[in-house]
Amino acid sequence: MPSKGRFTIVAVTASALAGAVALSAGLLHGTAQAAAVAGPCGGPTSGDCCFANGTPGCNDTDCCTLICGIDPFCCSNTWDGICADQACGIGGLCFPPEPVVDFLATSATPAPNQVQFGAADIPAIPADFFGPGSDPFDGIVPFMGVPLDPGVTEDASVAMQRANDPVFPFEPQGTSGTVPVEMVEMNLRSIDPVTVTFNGGQSPELWSMEVTLSDQPTPPGQLTALKTHPNGGTFDADFFVHPVFTFVKTDDPDQVRVIDTVDFGIPPMHLFISGGNFVHFVNPLLEIVLPKLSQWAPGILEIVPGDPNSQVPTGFTASSDGGGVQHTVEPASTKDGRCELVSKTIPANQTACTTSTNGDGTKNVRVSFGMNASFRDNCSCCEYRQNVKGEFKYKGKKVPHQMNPGVFLQKDTFNEDGFGVPTPAGSNANYGRRGDAQNPAHDRYLNPAVRGAGCTYAGTDAPGMSNMQPGAAYSFNLAFEGTIIDSCNGTTLQTNTWTVNCAGTAFGPPADPLIEVLTETIINGTGAVLGVYLYPGDVLTVVGSFVNGVGEEPPIDSAGVDITIGGLDLFEGPDSGPLPETRPGGSMAHAVFNFDFPPGSPPDLLVSFTFGPETQLIAVTLPAVCPWDCGGDINGDVGIVDFLALLGQWGGPGTCDFDGGGVGIVDFLDLLGHWGPCP
């Protein structure tokens, strides 16, 4: 008997597919006849059954009789390529086929993917399994797929092996067939860590869960398909698995616990699939991983029979008869570098404004929340980003907050949240960027705990103000954006927004500054910002702000900070003791100095800024509050000083030349039209 050769699936166009589908009603020569045509089957002059041999029939009697019974042309005329394909091609009928492997990806829809410990077919995890005193564990653990071999089978997390195609393209509608089937590979991981407790609910620990297959054999399963149209139909299956559950402690990966269900005496789990879809010829535009040596592809629905352009991938669910497992899969995709978001909770567990008191009597106010997301398929493409806008005020005065080089918290404009300049030790500059060196607890990728590869993101933030003097007025009003992006394709997947608003001990609404000028510097080895603000009532507020870790550093004492301005009188400095701090992301400590700024004060300032042993002189020029406040007094009010300045500049250029054509009647009328407070 000739041996079966190896065949390769050739890519075809959609139009060619349509022709193949039409032919698949019976890949025969003309109209099939009911009876076989007698011919020279097995004769010494007959050619090879696996090739177009130019003679009627072929040299293997059994194969020749079988094929000619289906397609009499092969014996009455000549054994051509169609006859050879029916005998030895993909899904050929004559010779034992090679096993076919279907590679499937774990899907997020239509059913949840989960293991339930404590179900009829998966017992609860016993006490002391995770360590002395660990409580029994039962409950549901959702899971996601982990690619078996990303470079070869793409996002496939499951491999199912069958003996052959259950039905073939040339068989008529209504044909059914059954083949043996078994699961040969599986790689799953819990979406979120499992919480394990000890001694009756105490001392919680987090353990990730991985699910693979035992190397012990299982009873045989079977798959039955029914052709409901020429190019496809539906299928059912039942099969058995021996899962292996591996638990890894998230903060100590060397601690591993394994449940091999064979070793624990747990019977193989019996899973069922009902009503899955299949096709014979797959539209190549679907970009899926096709099984080799097969013309039967599971998980594809042809909505309009005969139209391959109507094909869509569809998931199908395997459920265990004891209720312990639900697992939905779909054809593995060859679409490279695309992130898939499985779930997210952003923000997670947001608290109310929470006040605490330090040992020295100063006050802290914070709001805490988490940012949690899980991904699958090309996890390295999935990244978290966080933006923030808003402002902090202390004793009625705005204080600056720097997040990145040249980037400050703005009241009405979102900017990327950051941890200050320079970046605190042990932290990254921003949330969620996979290329950063650190993987800290407040900005961490897990499963695995490798920043560039983890399929889970877990971040925390605690914006607020700290070290405030008792009775001091404070407020912070912040808005956040939490976004999941596909960094490989430059696309945004989903964005959530939320707010944080806290205020206390306020005496009337705090005023907004007329002018804000911010200057970055490094002083005494510390990243700092000098903020200069002009307020109504002739008050100039200067704030020295210092990067101070991410909330865990010792406070900065006000005794080490001083600010003076030549020609201006200080009427209020910072309270003695620790400086108040603000945070989203990184913390900044603020020393607030208030100066009298009477009308006519010059806009050019030389600020002496001292922190510890170092003093810097920083030149600051205050811009006009509005164009018509042109008289040099910078008070946010258009009045007699500005009118006299305009008259003094009449006929020439100057600060009161609003239209650029020289100071004249147009500028005079414009100034009068804006008399009073700047708009």
Side-chain angles (χ1 to χ4, degrees), residues 27 71 97 136-137 159 254 272 301 303 306 370 374 381 426 429 525-526 546 562 613 618 646 671:
L27 271 177
D71 191 351
F137 178 85
D254 291 334
F272 297 86
L301 171 65
I303 298 173
S374 295
C381 294
T526 300
F546 308 91
D562 190 30
I618 299 176
L646 182 145
L671 185 143

Side-chain angles (χ1 to χ4, degrees), residues 131-505:
S134 69
D135 298 325
F137 178 85
D138 59 7
I140 293 173
V141 181
F143 61 76
M144 60 185 178
V146 178
L148 299 169
D149 190 351
V152 178
T153 58
E154 307 302 343
D155 61 345
S157 56
V158 169
M160 299 291 296
Q161 180 173 288
R162 48 188 165 87
N164 200 349
D165 292 354
V167 291
F168 300 97
F170 54 79
E171 294 181 307
Q173 182 175 328
T175 301
S176 65
T178 299
V179 292
V181 68
E182 63 176 323
M183 183 181 289
V184 292
E185 284 189 276
M186 179 175 66
N187 195 9
L188 310 173
R189 181 181 293 130
S190 59
I191 293 177
D192 296 308
V194 175
T195 300
V196 175
T197 58
F198 290 74
N199 302 314
Q202 305 301 311
S203 306
E205 295 179 352
L206 297 180
W207 293 71
S208 63
M209 181 189 76
E210 299 177 0
V211 190
T212 54
L213 291 180
S214 173
D215 56 7
Q216 298 299 309
T218 58
Q222 64 179 18
L223 182 151
T224 300
L226 172 66
K227 288 191 70 165
T228 60
H229 60 85
N231 192 40
T234 62
F235 72 93
D236 300 328
D238 70 285
F239 55 95
F240 297 85
V241 296
H242 281 306
V244 175
F245 301 97
T246 301
F247 296 88
V248 180
K249 192 176 181 184
T250 58
D251 61 357
D252 186 1
D254 291 334
Q255 292 202 43
V256 179
R257 305 288 187 271
V258 178
I259 298 176
D260 186 323
T261 52
V262 176
D263 296 339
F264 274 65
I266 301 172
M269 300 188 66
H270 192 191
L271 287 91
F272 297 86
I273 297 170
S274 179
N277 297 291
F278 76 89
V279 296
H280 292 300
F281 299 101
V282 179
N283 188 335
L285 298 178
L286 294 184
E287 299 183 78
I288 68 168
V289 177
L290 293 172
K292 295 180 179 180
L293 301 174
S294 176
Q295 290 178 326
W296 192 91
I300 300 174
L301 171 65
E302 192 166 275
I303 298 173
V304 180
D307 180 8
N309 291 315
S310 71
Q311 292 178 7
V312 293
T314 57
F316 51 92
T317 300
S319 301
S320 66
D321 54 6
V325 169
Q326 288 190 79
H327 188 187
T328 301
V329 294
E330 59 190 17
S333 172
T334 61
K335 298 176 181 178
D336 295 330
R338 299 186 185 182
C339 160
E340 182 174 341
L341 175 64
V342 176
S343 66
K344 64 178 175 60
T345 306
I346 303 173
N349 304 315
Q350 181 173 346
T351 68
C353 301
T354 303
T355 302
S356 62
T357 302
N358 300 317
D360 60 2
T362 57
K363 304 289 184 180
N364 311 310
V365 180
R366 292 204 181 281
V367 173
S368 301
F369 53 81
M371 306 86 75
N372 301 323
S374 295
F375 320 113
R376 53 157 279 188
D377 303 345
N378 306 297
C379 291
S380 62
C381 294
C382 307
E383 298 192 27
Y384 177 70
R385 296 288 187 271
Q386 184 163 299
N387 298 323
V388 63
K389 66 179 181 180
E391 62 182 358
F392 292 93
K393 289 188 175 181
Y394 183 64
K395 293 187 175 181
K397 300 296 190 295
K398 183 176 180 178
V399 294
H401 191 94
Q402 185 175 20
M403 299 175 294
N404 294 292
V407 180
F408 301 88
L409 182 67
Q410 293 181 273
K411 182 178 180 181
D412 299 312
T413 302
F414 278 111
N415 288 295
E416 186 170 6
D417 202 349
F419 292 90
V421 181
T423 303
S427 182
N428 297 312
N430 306 98
Y431 283 104
R433 293 186 174 270
R434 288 192 183 266
D436 290 340
Q438 308 291 331
N439 199 28
H442 60 270
D443 173 36
R444 177 168 292 180
Y445 285 94
L446 298 166
N447 294 323
V450 177
R451 192 161 186 86
C455 288
T456 300
Y457 178 76
T460 58
D461 199 356
M465 302 179 71
S466 58
N467 305 324
M468 296 183 293
Q469 292 297 317
Y474 70 89
S475 66
F476 51 98
N477 300 282
L478 308 172
F480 290 86
E481 286 182 338
T483 300
I484 305 298
I485 68 167
D486 184 336
S487 60
C488 295
N489 294 283
T491 57
T492 296
L493 300 183
Q494 290 189 24
T495 297
N496 285 21
T497 59
W498 66 101
T499 59
V500 170
N501 300 286
C502 300
T505 322

Side-chain angles (χ1 to χ4, degrees), residues 490-554:
T491 57
T492 296
L493 300 183
Q494 290 189 24
T495 297
N496 285 21
T497 59
W498 66 101
T499 59
V500 170
N501 300 286
C502 300
T505 322
F507 302 99
D512 289 327
L514 302 171
I515 295 173
E516 177 183 45
V517 180
L518 302 177
T519 304
E520 299 178 52
T521 187
I522 301 285
I523 185 168
N524 194 24
T526 300
V529 177
L530 185 73
V532 179
Y533 303 90
L534 180 64
Y535 284 91
D538 304 328
V539 174
L540 187 74
T541 298
V542 182
V543 184
S545 301
F546 308 91
V547 174
N548 197 32
V550 291
E552 79 291 347
E553 298 294 328

